[in-house]
Amino acid sequence: MARGKWVCSYKKTTLLVCFFNIAVALYVLRSLYASLYIYSGNVSRNAALYSPDQIRKMEESIQIRWEFKPVELIKWVKALEAEFSSETEAVKLPWHLKQNIIDEILQRLRSLNSSRTDIAMEREVVESWRKEKLEEVKSALVKGTSNSTIPHEEAGMLVRALESDWAVLCEEIGLWIPAQVSNKEHDDKPEGAEEFEEEVLPGRPVSPECHAELHTDYDGAAVRWGLTFHKDSAADCCQACLDHAKHAKEGEKKCNIWVYCPSEFGCHSPDIYQHKHQECWLKYAEKPRLNFKDKYPESYRNSHPSAPVIVPWVSGVISS
């Protein structure tokens, strides 16, 4: 019984596998048929979109485009592209020819006999050699002779190198002459005007009412001694003069002149004192008068050897 059951079970399993394979095969065949049907249906539908007359006209238009294709123009364009690409390629001169060029140029440069470097002269000498060599080689090519030191078969290459590829050739042979830079200073200073370096006063900007004047020293009676009165900037010194005039009592001299020393090295004055940086002198004068402006006179410098050329003070006269 056990064996009979086993045989029966084996047969059932085999039948089930066979039925499964047949079902899969039928499904695959059905799918293939359906796809073929859909494809043929699409083709027939697309074919139905255009009439035979339309299809004929499309074929004729394609034929006309092919007949009017600019074949000659395309050939010319391709030929020009090939010519331009060949021109852009630098000429490769033989090494012995490059060595001859180097020797000739160096010989010309040595003939300058100049103790100092003159870039303009060197450029002129090299350019003169290039023109002479170019004429020599061109003449040899036209006459068809070999009088030139360059062989005839290499002359054409050299002409092209000297004419259109000169910069590339200079780089290959290691010839480099720096560009000459000429700096021309534009001088718009009026004739006879004194020349001073542009100066910027330290500290905050000076108010327009201060009437600040660089390189000036005004005379006047001191209402505040600068030896013991220092300010951080010329603007502060001017403000001190304005405040003094504002708060001065009746009958007192009101400050209308301020003199400031902006130089870190001190300022010169025709007296016995050594005037230091940031000294602020407050003065009064009914009619303000200049001691010095811009430069100390030569006669004054002769009698005062310590006096500088330029007046270092900054002064201003305040309107009452």
Side-chain angles (χ1 to χ4, degrees):
M1 291 297 292
R3 186 177 179 185
K5 289 180 180 179
W6 173 257
V7 171
C8 183
S9 176
Y10 178 76
K11 287 180 179 180
K12 288 179 179 179
T13 304
T14 304
L15 288 172
L16 288 172
V17 172
C18 290
F19 283 134
F20 179 75
N21 290 337
I22 291 170
V24 171
L26 290 173
Y27 177 77
V28 171
L29 289 173
R30 183 180 178 282
S31 300
L32 290 174
Y33 177 75
S35 62
L36 289 174
Y37 176 77
I38 293 171
Y39 175 75
S40 62
N42 289 335
V43 171
S44 62
R45 282 195 297 271
N46 290 334
L49 292 176
Y50 303 102
S51 64
D53 185 54
Q54 289 175 330
I55 294 174
R56 180 180 56 79
K57 289 181 178 179
M58 285 190 288
E59 290 176 350
E60 287 179 357
S61 65
I62 293 172
Q63 184 64 28
I64 291 171
R65 282 199 297 269
W66 275 103
E67 288 177 357
F68 284 92
K69 186 178 180 180
V71 180
E72 293 297 326
L73 179 61
I74 293 173
K75 288 182 180 179
W76 276 102
V77 170
K78 289 183 178 179
L80 288 174
E81 287 179 351
E83 184 178 349
F84 287 144
S85 63
S86 63
E87 286 183 359
T88 53
E89 294 178 2
V91 179
K92 301 295 182 183
L93 295 179
W95 171 246
H96 70 276
L97 194 55
K98 293 180 183 178
Q99 189 62 49
N100 291 340
I101 293 173
I102 294 171
D103 293 341
E104 291 183 18
I105 292 177
L106 288 177
Q107 187 176 359
R108 287 290 185 94
L109 291 175
R110 292 192 189 102
S111 65
L112 287 176
N113 293 326
S114 179
S115 58
R116 62 185 182 87
T117 303
D118 191 338
I119 296 174
M121 184 64 69
E122 289 180 356
R123 282 186 172 276
E124 185 179 344
V125 167
V126 173
E127 183 62 20
S128 173
W129 173 89
R130 185 185 73 86
K131 290 179 180 178
E132 292 176 9
K133 196 69 177 177
L134 190 58
E135 282 206 17
E136 176 188 351
V137 179
K138 279 185 177 180
S139 176
L141 280 174
V142 171
K143 295 178 182 178
T145 61
S146 58
N147 294 335
S148 173
T149 56
I150 308 299
H152 189 273
E153 58 272 10
E154 296 176 352
M157 298 169 59
L158 184 56
V159 167
R160 181 174 164 187
L162 293 175
E163 278 188 329
S164 58
D165 297 335
W166 174 239
V168 178
L169 179 60
C170 289
E171 186 176 349
E172 289 181 355
I173 64 177
L175 176 63
W176 178 78
I177 300 176
Q180 188 175 18
V181 180
S182 57
N183 297 320
K184 185 177 180 181
E185 184 179 353
H186 179 67
D187 186 11
D188 55 355
K189 179 173 66 67
E191 186 177 354
E194 298 291 341
E195 184 174 353
F196 297 100
E197 295 182 1
E198 186 177 354
E199 294 185 25
V200 178
L201 288 174
R204 61 189 180 90
V206 182
S207 173
E209 63 180 331
C210 297
H211 304 289
E213 299 179 46
L214 295 175
H215 311 294
T216 57
D217 180 11
Y218 275 91
D219 193 13
V223 296
R224 189 67 187 265
W225 278 62
L227 295 177
T228 57
F229 187 64
H230 290 193
K231 288 295 180 180
D232 292 335
S233 65
D236 294 331
C237 183
C238 170
Q239 188 61 46
C241 183
L242 292 171
D243 294 341
H244 183 277
K246 183 178 180 181
H247 297 99
K249 296 178 181 180
E250 188 177 352
E252 290 183 346
K253 294 179 179 179
K254 297 182 180 180
C255 176
N256 65 345
I257 299 172
W258 60 274
V259 182
Y260 182 75
C261 177
S263 174
E264 296 181 358
F265 305 101
C267 296
H268 173 80
S269 187
D271 52 34
I272 61 172
Y273 305 107
Q274 291 184 354
H275 300 277
K276 298 181 179 179
H277 180 217
Q278 296 183 341
E279 281 190 13
C280 176
W281 288 79
L282 306 184
K283 301 180 181 181
Y284 169 80
E286 186 176 350
K287 294 181 179 180
R289 181 178 60 87
L290 275 170
N291 283 332
F292 301 102
K293 182 174 177 60
D294 295 336
K295 291 183 178 181
Y296 290 110
E298 187 175 353
S299 58
Y300 177 84
R301 295 201 306 272
N302 291 335
S303 59
H304 296 78
S306 62
V309 177
I310 307 297
V311 177
W313 296 92
V314 179
S315 306
V317 178
I318 299 174
S319 302
S320 55

